[in-house]
Amino acid sequence: MEAFLVSTGIVALAEIGDKTQLLAFILAAKFRKPVPIIIGILIATLVNHGFAGAVGTWVTTLLGPTTLRWVLGVSFIAMAIWTLIPDKFDEDDAKLAHFGVFGTTLVAFFLAEMGDKTQVATIALAAQYQNLAVVVAGTTLGMMIANVPAVLLGDRIAHAIPVRLVHGIAAAIFAVLGVATLLGAGESLGF
């Protein structure tokens, strides 16, 4: 349950103001068809985070417990720093309209999520908790918690969210996870 809740919370917070959330706002404004956009986001996230979680799980088979602890600890601290850096959105991510609403959302979200903070977080969380399905379910739910309101409410909520505060909270959680990992908080789990 901890893996699910931590994965959900971290990704939901990290996604606020992220480029993929900005993409959700743009797709909602452009197409004004929330259901295919939400389904496209869900499927793109499941595939992307499923792959990322598999990579995270695979990494645990390559590294010894001490090395893994250091890699994860430093990765979480790096994620804390990265979370504080504002994202830039590339308008080209939303210019795939010839695929239709669902196809455009699916392709744009999948591509925008490649190498994104939440994908990297999914890799680290899957390695940390060594539970692929639970971590992917949690990170996907976190993405949906942040992006469904963006699709449904659009500009009405965009300016009401204190993005810097939310990013600060997410960064603090990543930093605490990193320090706890470096201090051996996961020793009972084998790393």
Side-chain angles (χ1 to χ4, degrees), residues 67-90:
T67 304
L68 182 61
R69 183 179 74 186
W70 282 95
V71 167
L72 288 174
V74 170
S75 294
F76 282 126
I77 292 170
M79 286 299 303
I81 295 165
W82 191 7
T83 300
L84 296 173
I85 300 169
D87 272 333
K88 303 264 189 289
F89 178 73
D90 184 2

Side-chain angles (χ1 to χ4, degrees), residues 146-177:
N147 288 307
V148 169
V151 171
L152 297 176
L153 302 174
D155 287 337
R156 289 177 281 185
I157 65 167
H159 302 293
I161 299 171
V163 175
R164 290 180 64 102
L165 174 64
V166 172
H167 280 214
I169 293 168
I173 294 170
F174 277 125
V176 167
L177 280 172

Side-chain angles (χ1 to χ4, degrees), residues 41-61:
I41 291 170
L42 175 64
I43 293 171
T45 301
L46 281 169
V47 172
N48 194 292
H49 287 201
F51 174 73
V55 169
T57 302
W58 174 68
V59 165
T60 63
T61 65

Side-chain angles (χ1 to χ4, degrees), residues 72-153:
L72 288 174
V74 170
S75 294
F76 282 126
I77 292 170
M79 286 299 303
I81 295 165
W82 191 7
T83 300
L84 296 173
I85 300 169
D87 272 333
K88 303 264 189 289
F89 178 73
D90 184 2
E91 285 288 332
D92 290 335
D93 287 340
K95 292 183 179 177
L96 301 166
H98 60 279
F99 291 125
V101 178
F102 171 76
T104 298
T105 303
L106 182 71
V107 172
F109 244 82
F110 183 82
L111 294 175
E113 192 62 15
M114 295 300 290
D116 193 54
K117 289 178 260 210
T118 52
Q119 185 188 41
V120 175
T122 302
I123 292 169
L125 289 163
Q128 173 85 6
Y129 289 108
Q130 298 179 18
N131 192 333
L132 176 65
V134 171
V135 168
V136 171
T139 59
T140 300
L141 178 60
M143 287 287 288
M144 299 312 288
I145 288 170
N147 288 307
V148 169
V151 171
L152 297 176
L153 302 174

